[in-house]
Amino acid sequence: MSGKADPRRPGEGTTSRTRLDRGRGALGPALELVHTGRAPTRAVLTAELGVTRATAGAVAAELEALGLIRVDARPTAAAGSQGRPSHRLALAEDGPVALAAQVHADGFRAALVGLGGRIVATAPGCEAVAADPAKVLGQVVEAGAALLRETGRHCVGAGLAVPSAVAEPEGLALNPLHLAWPAGSPVREIFADQVRAAGITGPAFAANDVNLAALAEHRHGAGRGSRDLLCVATGHRGVGGALVLDGRLHTGSAGLALEVGHLTVNPEGRPCHCGSRGCLDVEADPLALLTTAGRRPGPVVSLLQQANDLILHESDDPGVRAAVETLVERLGLGLAGLVNILNPDRIILGGLHRTLLDAHPERLRAVVADRSLWGRSGVVPILPCTLDHNSLVGAAELAWQPVLDDPLGALAAAA
């Protein structure tokens, strides 16, 4: 950490360096507090870190010198307040960014995401995904590299969200069921190679898209403050789930936990890609809604948009109404089973499931309560996801994590 002595104050240089040395280990925790909105002022930062006011001031000043935050030393006092207001802390709007990429059944997208989960720039999405993962990831990385050239932003690293379980530590996409990619594709290695080839600095990561959506929502959205957060979502095809425990994604021993899409909710139902029948993956996704409503999917817009439009604009149609009721029942049954196993303190729903919750909140919550062991006495709050492009934001969180762990070391490595 850096600090200069004031020549007008003898001994100040030694004292300042001492405070900075003591605060070195607090840089990462301090940045995470500001990043997640939990430390809007220096006073709150001091209390959260459990350090002296002087040390907190030195830590904030160093983070500002690194170009990560801004410190307002003369904030305007609120009307009626007494005393001098604490220095306000905000994320640097012109600071570094992470490259975030997402691939799904209906295309891919690239974005630049700053601290705080703020999307700085996005590239136009592509609506076709080739069967060769190297070709697709090369295209999405090039789109991100173009954004970096246009904005002139410094990049700390890159993260990729894919619709597949990603095995650790190899970074293999084991079951990209809704893509034409080979099972076991080494997506992290391919993505990292493409990132390096594009001249982008910093480490590269890859993970399951719903895991990343849950991580983003826990830090910046509907999951804030939850200790045991369950996220269930359906995007363009299939159903995914994720669990955040004490602020960390629970991914199991090899990164494959929470494949909730293969929870059976209708034993006599549709055949699933996994070899079973009646899984959430094929009973509660956009294609399931369209087919249950007797609608043939069209080629112009995504399945997700078609399904959402059906609920929002054709809810008076008896066939649509019956299809929605069926999906609510299937989803509620699946959520009740997960509640019985996991006992979360909050459930958040994304994609089409968010639309179903918005359309029939009481019915969905009633199904979950009726089918769970604790019934209505132990009802779990069920909320909609609130972040747009939460999987993209979560992909960026992967790239930001080394900076949150060690701001000085990570920024020096990515320089």
Side-chain angles (χ1 to χ4, degrees):
M1 302 177 71
S2 61
K4 286 188 177 181
D6 185 339
R8 297 169 297 178
R9 300 177 62 181
E12 177 64 20
T14 301
T15 304
S16 178
R17 281 193 298 274
T18 300
R19 289 172 183 159
L20 290 172
D21 288 340
R22 288 175 180 171
R24 182 181 296 272
L27 273 179
L31 181 60
E32 183 167 345
L33 287 167
V34 182
H35 171 61
T36 55
R38 290 177 291 158
T41 68
R42 195 175 70 179
V44 175
L45 183 68
T46 301
E48 289 288 336
L49 293 177
V51 298
T52 66
R53 180 180 174 184
T55 297
V59 168
E62 185 65 15
L63 290 175
E64 184 173 37
L66 291 171
L68 298 171
I69 73 169
R70 294 287 178 263
V71 181
D72 183 359
R74 296 183 178 181
T76 303
S81 63
Q82 297 181 350
R84 181 179 177 182
S86 178
H87 294 189
R88 295 204 64 82
L89 308 178
L91 297 166
E93 292 189 359
D94 58 349
V97 295
L99 168 60
Q102 181 182 11
V103 179
H104 51 73
D106 291 320
F108 62 76
R109 181 177 293 274
L112 304 183
V113 184
L115 283 167
R118 184 173 63 90
I119 296 179
V120 174
T122 59
C126 173
E127 297 180 356
V129 178
D132 179 4
K135 179 179 179 180
V136 177
L137 297 182
Q139 291 172 326
V140 74
V141 168
E142 179 48 43
L147 290 177
L148 288 169
R149 290 191 295 269
E150 292 167 9
T151 61
R153 292 295 189 92
H154 173 62
C155 184
V156 300
L160 169 68
V162 293
S164 168
V166 178
E168 297 296 343
E170 300 90 351
L172 308 178
L174 291 188
N175 59 343
L177 298 177
H178 305 294
L179 302 175
W181 293 359
S185 295
V187 291
R188 185 165 60 208
E189 179 182 347
I190 295 171
F191 183 61
D193 289 344
Q194 298 288 358
V195 166
R196 285 192 293 270
I200 298 171
T201 57
F205 305 89
N208 171 262
D209 52 2
V210 180
N211 276 352
L212 297 180
L215 181 61
E217 292 284 347
H218 186 268
R219 291 183 175 180
H220 308 294
R224 270 183 171 177
S226 173
R227 177 173 176 175
D228 301 319
L229 175 69
L230 172 64
C231 175
V232 176
T234 177
H236 299 264
R237 290 290 300 274
V239 175
L243 186 65
V244 180
L245 300 176
D246 290 328
R248 298 282 181 180
L249 277 171
H250 174 72
T251 56
S253 60
L256 309 179
L258 271 292
E259 279 291 308
V260 305
H262 301 290
L263 182 68
T264 299
V265 294
N266 181 17
E268 305 302 321
R270 298 176 176 86
C272 182
H273 308 277
C274 71
S276 186
R277 299 186 73 91
C279 297
L280 268 178
D281 218 48
V282 292
E283 296 286 338
D285 79 337
L287 184 60
L289 178 66
L290 293 169
T291 55
T292 303
R295 303 302 174 90
R296 180 173 295 179
V300 178
V301 298
S302 72
L303 293 173
L304 177 59
Q305 183 177 334
Q306 293 178 60
N308 281 334
D309 288 345
L310 208 61
I311 297 173
L312 297 174
H313 305 304
E314 299 188 49
S315 59
D316 292 335
D317 182 288
V320 173
R321 188 164 57 248
V324 169
E325 290 172 357
T326 297
L327 258 73
V328 167
E329 293 289 326
R330 299 279 189 260
L331 175 60
L333 179 60
L335 292 177
L338 292 167
V339 167
N340 291 338
I341 295 169
L342 300 173
N343 189 28
D345 61 25
R346 191 179 309 175
I347 299 171
I348 57 173
L349 302 180
L352 177 63
H353 295 165
R354 176 173 64 177
T355 308
L356 290 171
L357 176 64
D358 290 341
H360 297 280
E362 297 308 317
R363 180 57 191 155
L364 180 57
R365 292 182 176 115
V367 174
V368 176
D370 291 343
R371 295 298 190 105
S372 66
L373 292 174
W374 299 278
R376 296 183 185 277
S377 63
V379 66
V380 181
I382 304 176
L383 305 173
C385 291
T386 57
L387 299 178
D388 293 330
H389 308 299
N390 50 18
S391 291
L392 271 176
V393 174
E397 291 295 316
L398 291 179
W400 275 114
Q401 192 60 52
V403 181
L404 297 175
D405 292 338
D406 178 13
L408 279 173
L411 291 181

